Amino acid sequence: MIARETAAPADEARLIREIRSGKTELFEYFVRQYQKKITRVAYRFLRDGGEADCAAQESFLRAYQSLDSFREGSTFETWLTRICINWCKDRLKRRRLVLYFHQSPSRDEESGEGPQEWAPHPDPSPERRAAGREIRERLRTAIGALSPRQRAIFTMKHFEEMSIPEIAEVTGLDSGTIKSHLFRAAQKIRGRLGDFQS
Amino acid sequence: MDRTVSDKHLTDAELFSLAAPASGEPEALPRHLSECQACSRALQEWQTALRQIGEEEVEEIERRTPQQWREAEGATMAAIRRSAPRARRNPWRWAVGIAASLAILALAMPWRQAPAPVASSASTVETAADDSGLSPADRDDDALLREAAYLARGGDDSSDLAMEESL
């Protein structure tokens, strides 16, 4: 799974207080900690590297400018992620796109060469590689059938490894609704996989 | 292979449920997995496939070099610094601006001594004739322009020169 960057909340709280008092340069800590993570989250929504960079920079800028409104009970990472997702959603609306995600570009270019190289499978036999490719293809198809919101929540949970409370805070939905979306997403995927079952 | 175990092989839907629990929390693995190597291996394949799909979506981002990330971070901090309040960025610019404003006001003040009245005496009548239709701001501007013209004609007032340098 993709590793997450974390930092001691206590230190971040102190840094935020000092930045509020005028020490702008200390904000660089947060930029170094979360630039990659925020860019990755933005990329999942926007599917364009340049736009993801823009989204990340705008998110940090908004966070800096509204630092006074940051509640110390939350984590800076979660708050920043929420800012980023909201910015991406606004951006997508302006682009008049309904979907949060495009089709994965690698699907059209699927040659079976790229992903299989990452597979830590102990048995690299051709049969195992073929089985792995088939599973990925079926999963992609099934995940692609999710609604935009289900897919966004599924992605945040299983690809970005966010907890349910974090997803709730980022999306503005309550934990019960998040769990409900996750459950329905899983049901839908299972149903699709069942359709494929020979 | 144990016929009883093979009868209970996990379906793809079940394997997916274990790889990505619907509740979002890890679930207890069925006992069958500890008995069946094929299903245990299959679960690993599903978990790997799920991870790879997640990584594929952001491959362009994950491929970036540390140098590219440093540049991105630098660009972000540059934007932060540009947006920082002026007082935080350079407090001395604030002071210079105030000093410049005071200098311009001083130039426009009517109580200025010696050369100024001589230089402006010829234009006093003209000023009086023109003032009727001018706003206070326009009158201040006119006074400033008259001073500038005086200096251009060779007026030697060292305090005026100091004010120009401070601007």
Side-chain angles (χ1 to χ4, degrees):
Chain A
M1 292 291 180
I2 298 170
R4 299 184 65 215
E5 294 138 352
T6 58
D11 292 336
E12 289 190 350
R14 178 182 59 80
L15 282 173
I16 287 170
R17 282 194 292 272
E18 293 194 35
I19 293 167
R20 281 172 176 161
S21 70
K23 297 180 182 177
T24 299
E25 287 302 313
L26 292 180
F27 196 81
E28 187 171 7
Y29 165 83
F30 295 106
V31 174
R32 290 192 173 187
Q33 276 291 111
Y34 303 120
Q35 177 93 28
K36 183 173 180 179
K37 153 82 185 262
I38 291 301
T39 307
R40 193 173 61 228
V41 168
Y43 187 83
R44 289 194 190 277
F45 280 83
L46 302 172
R47 308 302 283 162
D48 179 88
E51 291 221 27
D53 288 329
C54 185
Q57 192 174 105
E58 285 294 321
S59 299
F60 279 107
L61 202 53
R62 287 188 181 186
Y64 172 78
Q65 290 169 342
S66 57
L67 207 53
D68 287 342
S69 66
F70 172 71
R71 295 175 293 108
E72 291 198 8
S74 175
T75 67
F76 183 86
E77 180 182 1
T78 305
W79 182 62
L80 183 65
T81 303
R82 180 170 190 174
I83 292 173
C84 177
I85 288 176
N86 286 338
W87 193 95
C88 290
K89 285 160 66 177
D90 288 341
R91 180 69 178 157
L92 288 171
K93 284 177 189 173
R94 285 198 294 274
R95 279 163 45 178
R96 296 183 180 277
L97 287 174
V98 175
L99 296 176
Y100 286 115
F101 298 99
H102 294 281
Q103 291 284 359
S104 170
S106 62
R107 191 177 185 190
D108 294 331
E109 302 158 8
E110 177 67 49
S111 63
E113 296 303 322
Q116 72 190 19
E117 295 170 4
W118 308 336
H121 205 285
D123 184 356
S125 66
E127 291 78 17
R128 294 257 65 86
R129 284 201 294 271
R133 279 200 301 275
E134 184 194 346
I135 292 172
R136 281 195 303 278
E137 183 58 36
R138 291 166 59 194
L139 267 177
R140 277 196 213 99
T141 302
I143 293 172
L146 297 175
S147 72
R149 175 162 287 180
Q150 286 172 344
R151 184 167 181 179
I153 292 173
F154 182 88
T155 293
M156 282 188 268
K157 182 70 190 74
H158 296 292
F159 297 156
E160 290 296 324
E161 294 187 282
M162 294 170 68
S163 69
I164 289 176
E166 284 175 333
I167 297 172
E169 186 175 342
V170 159
T171 59
L173 304 170
D174 61 70
S175 294
T177 304
I178 299 299
K179 287 180 184 176
S180 176
H181 281 303
L182 274 175
F183 181 79
R184 285 198 212 115
Q187 264 191 327
K188 193 181 281 189
I189 292 174
R190 276 202 305 272
R192 284 261 167 172
L193 294 174
D195 291 343
F196 281 119
Q197 198 82 28
S198 59
Chain B
M1 183 182 293
D2 183 353
R3 196 177 292 271
T4 305
V5 171
S6 67
D7 287 345
K8 297 178 182 176
H9 285 318
L10 299 176
T11 64
D12 287 346
E14 289 169 334
L15 288 166
F16 168 75
S17 292
L18 292 172
S23 64
E25 304 298 329
E27 294 178 356
L29 298 178
R31 187 178 153 210
H32 174 80
L33 284 173
S34 62
E35 300 167 346
C36 177
Q37 190 178 8
C39 285
S40 177
R41 179 178 292 174
L43 176 58
Q44 283 183 3
E45 287 172 349
W46 279 87
Q47 289 168 332
T48 299
L50 199 60
R51 186 186 72 248
Q52 287 172 350
I53 289 172
E55 290 171 353
E56 280 170 10
E57 286 191 352
V58 291
E59 184 183 351
E60 179 183 335
I61 302 301
E62 294 298 325
R63 268 204 308 252
R64 291 184 179 180
T65 64
Q67 176 62 24
Q68 286 175 308
W69 285 116
R70 281 193 292 274
E71 288 170 3
E73 290 160 11
T76 298
M77 272 312 295
I80 298 292
R81 290 185 192 102
R82 283 195 298 273
S83 78
R86 284 176 177 264
R88 286 184 196 165
R89 267 191 294 163
N90 189 349
W92 296 112
R93 281 185 66 176
W94 176 82
V96 167
I98 294 291
S101 300
L102 289 173
I104 291 174
L105 278 174
L107 280 174
M109 279 296 161
W111 50 262
R112 287 204 69 252
Q113 299 295 325
V118 174
S120 63
S121 62
S123 58
T124 301
V125 172
E126 181 186 346
T127 303
D130 291 341
D131 267 354
S132 59
L134 295 178
S135 68
D138 289 340
R139 284 197 287 275
D140 289 343
D141 288 343
D142 273 2
L144 186 59
L145 289 171
R146 283 197 295 278
E147 286 296 329
Y150 164 72
L151 291 172
R153 285 196 296 272
D156 182 19
D157 186 323
S158 59
S159 64
D160 282 341
L161 288 173
M163 287 176 194
E164 281 184 15
E165 285 169 3
S166 71
L167 291 175

